[in-house]
């Protein structure tokens, strides 16, 4: 384990922001993590755990210790007639884990293909896409408590998963390092293809038998057609969450904006497509944010929810753009969007 000083985080965050970390360490095991946290010289430093850096925007240098989680390994822990239980190291790339499941025909994560990031970061914001969330396949996780220096086991209930939310974004924010996540996957997959875009994509290859593989490929195709590849253009996926409002509020908005895009939730509330809200607003009258660019900061041309770094933007510029977007959405719809991406 080697503590490095003044390290650029540019290649460690998918926005590609050139923020400098005062200290930086990559850890590959819980022993390495313990060794690091027991170092007297690191005790007082504020700490930030990075997975794939795919849900973070650095707006300044990080004046503390960045711990890059590189704990590897995928192992089957048990199985029964219906399920297989798999424990995965927090540093494993999420999509490579999805592909591992597809290879074994294990069902549950095929709709979550191609989400950037690591297996350890996935529970923190309960990643989700195309009608499936991580909590649907979650079994348990192990996490190291930074202050007490002990390993805890978290069950599904302990994690308090919500829409892009968990206990690790709230009560336990920055207090734990996730070491591994365990999943409960179906040996005889049940497919979730309710989402309109998936159905349309599957229809293009209707001759192919429905399988986790064909669904995974459909999701990959949809994502590639709509979302920018962070390897090519810096971004952190959806920058804002889709807001939830009551049906009464919704009815009022629908009168003013008849084409507003929404989904009904089980509790009777409505979820609004934030991408649609953002697309209706812009920096000036008659101009939309969608595809807008100021310097190297911008709003993606195919998905207005995704803010992008066209090259050399700094985090402040992207943050300022997000403020302007928030302001105009509030002015037009009276709705305050919440950021999904963590700001540092
Ligand atoms: N829409 C627009 N304009 C846009 C974007 C979207 O009008 O620029 C409308 C369209 O009507 C579209 C609808 O919004 O049909 C929904 O768009 P999309 O299917 O792209 O989904 P989303 O609600 O914008 C959410 C997640 C994505 C996830 C997709 C698919 C959030 C914040 N985002 O986006 O997750 O991939 O659904 O399930 O919930 C992420 O979290 O980083 C992420 C990319």
């Amino acid at each position: 384990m080697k503590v490095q000083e003044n390290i650029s985080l540019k290649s460690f965050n998918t926005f590609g922001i050139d923020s400098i970390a005062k200290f930086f360490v990559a850890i590959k095991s819980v022993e390495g993590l313990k060794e690091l946290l027991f170092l007297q010289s690191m005790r007082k430093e504020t700490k930030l755990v990075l997975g794939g850096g795919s849900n973070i925007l650095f707006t300044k240098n990080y004046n503390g210790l960045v711990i890059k989680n590189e704990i590897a390994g995928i192992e089957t822990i048990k199985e029964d007639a219906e399920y297989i239980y798999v424990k995965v190291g927090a540093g494993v790339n999420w999509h490579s884990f999805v592909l591992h499941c597809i290879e074994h025909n294990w069902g549950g994560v095929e709709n979550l293909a191609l989400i950037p990031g690591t297996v350890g970061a996935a529970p923190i914001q309960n990643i989700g896409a195309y009608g499936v969330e991580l909590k649907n396949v979650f079994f348990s996780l192990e996490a190291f408590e930074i202050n007490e220096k002990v390993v805890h086991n978290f069950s599904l209930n302990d994690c308090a998963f919500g829409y892009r939310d968990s206990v690790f974004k709230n009560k336990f924010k920055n207090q734990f390092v996730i070491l591994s996540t365990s999943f409960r996957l179906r040996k005889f997959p049940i497919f979730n293809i309710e989402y309109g875009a998936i159905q349309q994509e599957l229809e293009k290859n209707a001759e192919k038998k429905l399988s986790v593989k064909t669904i995974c490929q459909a999701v990959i195709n949809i994502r590639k057609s709509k979302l920018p590849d962070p390897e090519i253009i810096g971004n952190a996926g959806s920058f804002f969450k889709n807001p939830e409002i009551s049906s009464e509020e919704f009815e009022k908005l629908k009168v003013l904006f008849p084409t507003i895009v929404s989904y009904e939730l089980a509790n009777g509330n409505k979820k609004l497509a934030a991408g649609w809200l953002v697309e209706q607003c812009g920096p000036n009258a008659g101009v939309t944010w969608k595809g807008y660019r100021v310097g190297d900061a911008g709003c993606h041309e195919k998905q207005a929810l995704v803010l992008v770094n066209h090259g050399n933007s700094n985090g402040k510029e992207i943050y300022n753009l997000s403020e302007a977007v928030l302001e105009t959405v509030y002015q037009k719809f009276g709705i305050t969007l919440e950021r999904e991406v963590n700001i540092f």
Side-chain angles (χ1 to χ4, degrees):
M1 185 204 50
K2 186 168 160 247
V3 180
Q4 295 174 275
E5 281 184 58
N6 296 323
I7 292 295
S8 168
L9 298 172
K10 193 173 167 82
S11 61
F12 300 115
N13 69 98
T14 58
F15 258 122
I17 303 296
D18 194 11
S19 161
I20 308 293
K22 186 171 157 202
F23 297 109
F24 179 92
V25 177
I27 55 129
K28 299 199 185 297
S29 65
V30 63
E31 291 73 31
L33 177 64
K34 276 187 191 159
E35 196 188 324
L36 171 67
L37 295 177
F38 276 107
L39 279 181
Q40 199 59 37
S41 57
M42 289 297 126
R43 284 241 164 120
K44 289 215 172 71
E45 298 299 330
T46 54
K47 295 170 186 74
L48 170 67
V49 184
L50 261 193
S54 57
N55 202 41
I56 194 162
L57 178 67
F58 289 106
T59 57
K60 51 185 181 295
N61 290 337
Y62 190 76
N63 189 24
L65 168 65
V66 170
I67 304 170
K68 170 103 171 41
N69 194 334
E70 292 184 353
I71 299 175
I74 302 184
E75 63 172 307
T76 298
I77 41 178
K78 61 175 181 173
E79 63 184 290
D80 54 34
E82 265 182 273
Y83 298 104
I84 184 122
Y85 297 78
V86 185
K87 178 175 168 180
V88 189
V92 171
N93 171 272
W94 174 264
H95 185 61
S96 62
F97 164 59
V98 170
L99 293 180
H100 180 87
C101 296
I102 304 299
E103 247 170 60
H104 290 81
N105 195 36
W106 297 333
V109 288
E110 56 281 1
N111 294 40
L112 303 177
L114 219 60
I115 296 183
T118 57
V119 167
I124 296 178
Q125 65 148 347
N126 182 27
I127 58 169
Y130 309 106
V132 175
E133 286 183 336
L134 174 118
K135 70 172 186 190
N136 304 129
V137 286
F138 179 89
F139 180 57
S140 67
L141 67 76
E142 284 178 335
F144 191 81
E145 195 175 357
I146 295 174
N147 279 340
E148 300 300 321
K149 301 190 179 50
V150 283
V151 176
H152 290 262
N153 201 64
F154 286 77
S155 68
L156 181 67
N157 276 343
D158 296 335
C159 292
F161 289 124
Y163 166 60
R164 296 295 190 278
D165 202 26
S166 77
V167 75
F168 301 105
K169 274 185 114 172
N170 298 295
K171 190 166 83 174
F172 294 146
K173 193 169 174 158
N174 297 329
Q175 291 177 41
F176 285 87
V177 179
I178 295 178
L179 304 170
S180 68
T181 308
S182 297
F183 299 88
R184 195 181 74 150
L185 301 156
R186 285 188 182 273
K187 290 160 101 173
F188 306 99
I190 293 177
F191 307 126
N192 186 330
I193 53 167
E194 299 300 300
Y195 206 90
I198 293 200
Q199 290 188 2
Q200 284 157 22
E201 192 56 38
L202 288 171
E203 274 162 24
K204 290 185 195 163
N205 290 300
E207 78 285 356
K208 286 202 180 141
K209 196 169 157 269
L210 202 57
S211 67
V212 288
K213 196 171 180 180
T214 50
I215 296 173
C216 178
Q217 192 55 52
V219 170
I220 290 173
N221 295 349
I222 301 166
R223 291 189 75 98
K224 282 194 170 162
S225 71
K226 270 201 199 170
L227 297 167
D229 177 354
E231 293 286 330
I232 298 166
I233 174 165
N235 76 91
S238 300
F239 199 89
F240 304 102
K241 293 186 191 181
N242 285 332
E244 181 176 334
I245 60 171
S246 69
S247 54
E248 292 79 30
E249 282 174 274
F250 177 74
E251 289 312 323
K252 286 184 203 151
L253 276 177
K254 178 97 182 150
V255 173
L256 297 169
F257 307 100
T259 57
I260 191 164
V261 180
S262 68
Y263 316 86
E264 172 110 29
L265 296 172
N267 62 9
N269 283 350
K270 295 276 186 181
K271 182 156 275 188
L272 302 180
W276 185 89
L277 298 173
V278 173
E279 192 181 330
Q280 307 310 307
C281 302
N284 306 299
V287 181
T288 172
W289 288 120
K290 199 172 181 173
Y292 177 81
R293 177 170 176 167
V294 47
D296 272 352
C299 182
H300 190 52
E301 61 191 3
K302 292 190 192 140
Q303 220 312 358
L305 259 199
V306 179
L307 298 189
V308 295
N309 176 7
H310 286 285
N312 291 312
S313 183
N314 63 40
K316 271 238 167 68
E317 290 162 338
I318 292 171
Y319 183 83
N320 290 343
L321 175 61
S322 78
E323 281 285 285
V325 169
L326 278 174
E327 185 58 32
T328 53
V329 168
Y330 182 75
Q331 293 292 341
K332 185 157 189 162
F333 299 102
I335 288 173
T336 304
L337 291 181
E338 229 182 280
R339 290 183 182 86
E340 198 216 82
V341 168
N342 295 302
I343 312 290
F344 272 93

